[in-house]
Amino acid sequence: MEKKTVAVLFGGQSTEHEISCLSAVTIIQNIDREQYDVLLIGITRDGRWLKTDSIEDIQSGKWLEGKIRAVLSPDAGHRGALLLDEGRAEIFPIDVVFPVLHGARGEDGTVQGLLELAEIPYVGCGVLASAVTMDKLYTKILVSTLGIRQADYELVYKDELSGQNAMESVIRRIEDRFAYPVFVKPACSGSSRGVSKASDRKQLEAGLLLAAEHDRKILVEETIVGHEIECAVLGAEEAKATGVGEILAGADFYDYEAKYESEESRTVLDPQLPRDAAEQVRDAAVRIYERLDGFGMARLDFFVTEQGDVVFNEANTIPGFTSISMYPMLWEHKGLSRFQLVNKLIRMAFQR
């Protein structure tokens, strides 16, 4: 059987660039080389697309010195990458793309739209699901139609924060709705970049300014006290959910540092939860996945209160695949190895 070529896209221009590189290494290591040849394309922080030679170059950062540019052609007649090397150009045919791009300009429907134009199959959710889930505001709007509880929120726009009087007005509006502490989040960001917890007015102002560095839309949410729970979903028309995992943050909350830098953060598979909360999470995860038009994979995040109430938090359509990432861990716990998971996702791409 003739091998097909998988192009793995990694890096990217978002604040999750480093995590994308870590995830890509895991995925590349688990692609079945008896079935697939692999083309590695890294995207630098400033948006240059470079052909990369090896996993070792990704791990060392040497790939950033690459000289061969890789242009993913939107021309459906090409169905491949245009490789540019010292004035020479060639079309490198691609059968399927595995985007490992967390965050903006990769997980938000932009790359998915390019691949739709190119008519190249790709792993993961389509344009609509990718765009909607990247924006926490519109995710909330769609999920609200399911009757699933979510944290209450106040929407703030970046331009509302200009000037001290404007900031005061926003803070009063928030304080009229919520008691401290509150969480402040950019609407479009991942890996908890730009997210903060505010326990007083001074911290709230700082949190709003921090979130505004990442997006023009900001959500200020009520605090939900409970277990931080994640559930992995896989599939298309008949999506399946794993059991649940609990995040035990090595900090006040599960921010970027707690996720990727704290040695005290850890995960628990199949945690003890009140009543039938675990089954409620699994059911809600599949329902939300289907309502968001999910395809391939997504990780759904929830809170579970001590009373057993399930509260939806957010969805991630290109979940992390690092050594500590919950998505592959949950499937591995269910009996699907990382090798099996990665190659199943590639096969599903051709179904589209």
Side-chain angles (χ1 to χ4, degrees):
M1 183 179 68
E2 185 178 352
K3 288 185 180 181
K4 295 184 181 296
T5 297
V6 180
V8 178
L9 301 183
F10 66 92
Q13 294 175 267
S14 82
T15 54
E16 297 170 84
H17 178 97
E18 298 97 334
I19 307 309
S20 169
C21 294
L22 293 173
S23 292
V25 168
T26 299
I27 287 167
I28 296 162
Q29 289 173 332
N30 284 284
I31 293 175
D32 186 350
R33 298 306 178 94
E34 292 187 2
Q35 294 190 60
Y36 306 107
D37 290 319
V38 180
L39 172 66
L40 307 180
I41 300 176
I43 303 173
T44 67
R45 291 180 182 280
D46 59 357
R48 291 176 296 122
W49 292 42
L50 303 173
K51 179 180 179 294
T52 307
D53 292 326
S54 68
I55 289 176
E56 291 73 22
D57 285 352
I58 298 173
Q59 292 171 319
S60 68
K62 186 179 177 182
W63 71 273
L64 294 165
E65 303 169 9
K67 302 299 182 185
I68 302 177
R69 305 295 286 270
V71 179
L72 191 60
S73 173
D75 187 329
H78 288 162
R79 294 194 181 180
L82 182 64
L83 301 182
L84 307 174
D85 183 14
E86 297 181 348
R88 298 188 301 273
E90 66 169 315
I91 295 291
F92 195 105
I94 295 171
D95 296 295
V96 61
V97 172
F98 202 133
V100 194
L101 299 166
H102 307 313
R105 301 183 183 181
E107 192 176 359
D108 58 359
T110 49
V111 166
Q112 291 75 16
L114 174 60
L115 294 168
E116 292 282 357
L117 290 173
E119 295 186 5
I120 299 174
Y122 57 93
V123 171
C125 289
V127 175
L128 175 65
S130 300
V132 170
T133 54
M134 190 65 205
D135 192 311
K136 296 178 179 66
L137 172 64
Y138 288 99
T139 300
K140 283 181 175 291
I141 291 171
L142 273 181
V143 173
S144 67
T145 64
L146 293 171
I148 295 170
R149 183 182 169 190
Q150 305 178 76
D152 198 8
Y153 67 95
E154 181 73 24
L155 174 63
V156 177
Y157 287 96
K158 181 177 181 177
D159 59 12
E160 293 184 80
L161 305 177
S162 301
Q164 189 59 36
N165 290 338
M167 177 67 79
E168 286 287 335
S169 176
V170 168
I171 289 175
R172 284 197 301 272
R173 190 172 88 218
I174 293 166
E175 290 177 334
D176 286 344
R177 289 198 63 187
F178 305 120
Y180 290 109
V182 293
F183 282 92
V184 187
K185 304 177 178 181
C188 296
S189 181
S191 289
S192 298
R193 289 291 200 181
V195 177
S196 62
K197 183 179 181 180
S199 299
D200 56 36
R201 177 172 282 216
K202 183 177 180 181
Q203 291 180 356
L204 176 57
E205 180 174 349
L208 288 167
L209 293 175
L210 173 64
E213 294 176 8
H214 294 264
D215 192 28
R216 70 181 188 88
K217 296 197 302 292
I218 302 162
L219 299 182
V220 180
E221 294 183 347
E222 65 169 326
T223 295
I224 303 295
V225 178
H227 304 267
E228 294 193 44
I229 300 299
E230 298 185 350
C231 183
V233 179
L234 177 70
E237 290 82 4
E238 295 184 2
K240 304 293 183 183
T242 60
V244 302
E246 180 174 5
I247 301 296
L248 300 177
D252 191 29
F253 71 98
Y254 203 43
D255 59 5
Y256 181 87
E257 286 71 23
K259 284 181 178 179
Y260 301 110
E261 297 174 6
S262 173
E263 295 182 358
E264 296 180 12
S265 294
R266 59 192 181 93
T267 56
V268 177
L269 301 178
D270 291 334
Q272 293 295 314
L273 297 176
R275 303 202 310 264
D276 61 343
E279 191 56 37
Q280 287 186 55
V281 167
R282 295 181 71 252
D283 176 70
V286 171
R287 291 173 62 204
I288 292 168
Y289 181 84
E290 292 174 344
R291 181 56 53 92
L292 295 173
D293 197 30
F295 185 97
M297 62 178 169
R299 194 193 72 237
L300 290 299
D301 301 346
F302 298 83
F303 296 105
V304 173
T305 70
E306 292 303 330
Q307 294 73 39
D309 296 326
V310 172
V311 184
F312 172 66
N313 184 21
E314 62 180 53
N316 296 270
T317 54
I318 304 183
F321 269 79
T322 72
S323 60
I324 61 170
S325 293
M326 186 71 87
Y327 188 86
M329 287 173 59
L330 284 167
W331 280 113
E332 204 160 34
H333 188 63
K334 199 171 176 65
L336 193 66
S337 71
R338 292 173 191 238
F339 179 85
Q340 291 170 319
L341 175 60
V342 166
N343 291 284
K344 184 178 180 68
L345 285 165
I346 294 171
R347 290 194 300 273
M348 286 183 62
F350 290 105
Q351 294 178 19
R352 189 184 268 110

